[in-house]
Amino acid sequence: MGVIRKKTVTRGTEGGLKYICDVCSADITSTVRIRCASPACNDYDLCVPCFSNGSFSRDHDPSTHAYSVIEQHSIPIYTPDWGADEELLLLEGGEVYGLGSWADIADHIGGYRNKEEVRDHFIDTYVNSSKFPLPERADPKDIFLLEKYPREEFQARKKRRIEERKEAAKNAPPAAPKQKPTASVPACHEVQGYMPGRLEFETEFANEAEEAVQHMQFDPGDGINPRTGELEPEMELKMTVMDIYNSKLTVRAKRKKITFEHNLLEYRKNAALDKKRTKEERDLLNKVKPFARMMNHKDFQEVSSGLEYEHNLRQAIIQLQDWRTMAIGDLKSGEKYEAEKQTRAQRPAPTGQFDRLAGVRPSKPVPPVETPSATTALTAPELPERFKSLEQANGAPTHLKGPLVNSTTTLPLGNPNPAVKYAPASLPGVPPLKLTAETATDLHIMTDEEKELCSLLRMTPKAYLVIKDALFKESYKTGGSLKRKAAREVCRIDAGKATRIFDFMIHSGWIQKG
């Protein structure tokens, strides 16, 4: 007898076990066959013509060996659409391949049965039966289905079903090739050692935890002393070991949850994001990662983004302070300074004409160009766009044009360069104040006219900028115009000083007189 197993059968086809005559090699799967019952012949089958002619092969002796006639058990016994032969193959396939391997069991049954059909039939007939593990019609005397569906009618229906499914399989479009491997093995995924089909890793946390409990046995009645009724020390030790094992399983489950929730298995995506960050940003985010165990993914992303933005702000402040030390007064000059600085750093060191070791001295490696980070955006010279977005967010009027680049406020200016120079009148009996970069901070962000005004009014640049910012905010409340009286109330300083500051801002076109 020849048997075709699942390795040589295409899934979704007739498949199953096929019986072949051991003399003429004819297919006798769907017909009556003669099986030798002698112990000398193992799985020896003959077709009816060879048996009637007395043909034999190998050690078979038809004159002395007993035999049995095996008919086709294609009759319904449990359900109207499943025969007894298919029920036997279903149980045999479950024993060989294990329950749950429905695709392999469907191949073992054949007849174009698919895995969903086999699984549903097993659950409905055996598992959901009130006589579990036996089917509902397990009584040998129950011949209701056999009387309702005779053998000829059932076999005709089975043949028609096989032909229809065979024709449908022939006309079905070819399946698209799968892009990714379906095997849940460590070598088929981005993270080596992870098996997504089982949601497990090849090496788990506390991987040796099972070794302490693998040989532990719990028999009924063990653990309680029959005389005292107390827990025996051996059982108490077993329970302690089990508690330790369960605690390790809990920690393992928590670590897996963190890994899945924070998308740590998407290695390529995370690596691509890290390449866009600078070394300082990567080090900062690596220090923050331990806090992911106490947050969900959304909160952790917000905290990481906030810390990264703070880091970039600090770097921008350091860069601006460096520019101030180098006497750089605007952002365009600072950008030019940084570009020239980087060019000088990449330029090789000059060698003299009489330098004998110039040819053998190892050249200094060119420093790698760091990826531009968000710090560059905070010091970029394209500030009008940022100011414009702030205006629209605050609901400020947009009829005034021109950015303010010489103050701490982010308000627009009407006429930053007036044609007529403003000449403020000095206070009677008050000598001007001498302002220098050492005695007055923020002097470098003021225009020459503002410096002259602060000198005549004997006012420090910081106080002047605070008053200027307050007047801008008050004017925005009234659409860009402001009255002299209101300006005096906002300044809360000497009326003469407040009047001169107000007139200067009117002359510069920053606010309109109300």
Side-chain angles (χ1 to χ4, degrees), residues 154-332:
F154 181 81
Q155 291 181 354
R157 288 171 52 194
K158 179 179 179 181
K159 182 178 180 181
R160 185 167 56 252
R161 172 178 59 81
I162 293 176
E163 291 178 352
E164 290 176 355
R165 295 192 179 184
K166 185 177 182 180
E167 189 68 22
K170 185 186 300 183
N171 300 330
K178 297 182 179 180
Q179 301 297 330
K180 293 184 179 180
T182 57
S184 181
V185 295
C188 294
H189 306 282
E190 295 181 9
V191 179
Q192 296 294 326
Y194 175 62
M195 297 173 283
R198 303 175 60 179
L199 297 179
E200 293 180 355
F201 293 89
E202 187 177 15
T203 303
E204 294 280 354
F205 172 77
N207 199 44
E208 298 80 12
E210 284 77 9
E211 295 181 359
V213 297
Q214 62 180 348
H215 299 298
M216 193 177 296
Q217 295 181 356
F218 293 90
D219 297 327
D222 288 351
I224 303 297
N225 193 325
R227 292 179 296 176
T228 60
E230 297 178 353
L231 192 65
E232 294 182 352
E234 183 180 357
M235 180 59 64
E236 188 175 356
L237 178 61
K238 288 184 178 180
M239 298 304 296
T240 303
V241 174
M242 289 300 299
D243 291 339
I244 297 174
Y245 172 66
N246 289 330
S247 64
K248 292 182 179 180
L249 293 183
T250 302
V251 176
R252 182 186 297 176
K254 289 181 179 179
R255 288 174 177 262
K256 282 185 181 180
K257 181 181 178 182
I258 295 171
T259 304
F260 299 149
E261 184 177 2
H262 292 276
N263 302 326
L264 299 181
L265 294 175
E266 299 179 1
Y267 174 75
R268 296 179 183 175
K269 181 179 178 181
N270 296 333
L273 293 176
D274 284 340
K275 289 182 179 179
K276 299 179 181 179
R277 301 188 178 100
T278 62
K279 182 178 181 301
E280 292 78 9
E281 292 173 348
R282 290 193 293 267
D283 294 341
L284 177 64
L285 294 180
N286 288 333
K287 293 179 181 179
V288 181
K289 283 182 180 179
F291 295 97
R293 294 180 294 179
M294 298 173 284
M295 307 179 193
N296 56 36
H297 184 62
K298 182 179 178 181
D299 293 343
F300 179 71
Q301 288 296 328
E302 292 180 358
V303 171
S304 301
S305 301
L307 291 175
E308 186 176 354
Y309 183 65
E310 180 189 1
H311 168 75
N312 293 326
L313 283 177
R314 293 181 181 274
Q315 294 296 323
I317 292 173
I318 294 174
Q319 191 174 39
L320 291 174
Q321 291 175 347
D322 184 28
W323 291 356
R324 178 189 293 181
T325 306
M326 305 300 293
I328 298 176
D330 57 271
L331 297 175
K332 285 188 176 295

Side-chain angles (χ1 to χ4, degrees), residues 350-372:
T351 57
Q353 183 178 2
F354 300 100
D355 192 355
R356 298 180 179 178
L357 300 178
V360 298
R361 182 185 298 115
S363 59
K364 184 178 180 181
V366 179
V369 180
E370 194 69 61
T371 305

Side-chain angles (χ1 to χ4, degrees), residues 385-398 408-412 469 472-473 475-479:
E385 294 296 330
R386 295 196 312 171
F387 292 146
K388 185 176 180 180
S389 62
L390 289 174
E391 289 177 26
Q392 297 175 355
N394 297 330
T398 58
T408 56
T409 184
T410 58
L411 305 177
D469 189 64
F472 269 124
K473 292 181 179 179
S475 65
Y476 271 159
K477 295 179 181 179
T478 57

